[in-house]
Amino acid sequence: MKTKRIMDRTSNVHRLKLASYNSRGSALDHRIYIKRLLADYDLVLVQETWLFDWELHKLSDDENVTVIGVSGMDPQKPVLGRPYGGCALLF
């Protein structure tokens, strides 16, 4: 009886590592934590950035990191109380 060799398909597979983080703002300690996540994960999903669209770059000071996101706040309306919403994808 002849046996077939089955190729191990997982040997050439890259496992995508994701992290999700509800930052509740973008204070310095939150950005430091995001930087640590980026060192260990391929994609970092961030919720509650509390940033306007033009401020999303503040989530990473590394020029090799891409930041894509959207604000939860309407720039045409004044912010009453604390900022809110927003999400971003960093890789």
Side-chain angles (χ1 to χ4, degrees):
M1 180 169 168
K2 213 173 186 183
T3 60
K4 285 186 177 180
R5 183 173 178 209
I6 298 173
M7 183 183 208
D8 179 8
R9 294 174 189 241
T10 62
S11 62
N12 292 325
V13 174
H14 175 75
R15 300 212 187 279
L16 186 62
K17 293 171 57 177
L18 302 173
S20 180
Y21 174 53
N22 186 322
S23 67
R24 292 179 219 91
S26 61
L28 178 60
D29 59 329
H30 299 215
R31 293 192 309 262
I32 291 169
Y33 185 66
I34 290 170
K35 186 174 187 173
R36 289 181 60 202
L37 288 173
L38 285 165
D40 295 330
Y41 294 90
D42 300 309
L43 295 171
V44 177
L45 309 163
V46 182
Q47 303 85 42
E48 296 296 328
T49 61
W50 299 356
L51 297 171
F52 286 104
D53 288 336
W54 62 85
E55 298 175 305
L56 290 169
H57 71 277
K58 294 179 180 179
L59 293 173
S60 177
D61 58 3
D62 185 341
E63 65 185 34
N64 296 315
V65 172
T66 300
V67 179
I68 300 171
V70 64
S71 175
M73 298 179 290
D74 183 347
Q76 303 301 321
K77 296 181 182 176
V79 177
L80 302 173
R82 71 162 176 78
Y84 57 89
C87 60
L89 170 66
L90 291 83
F91 57 95

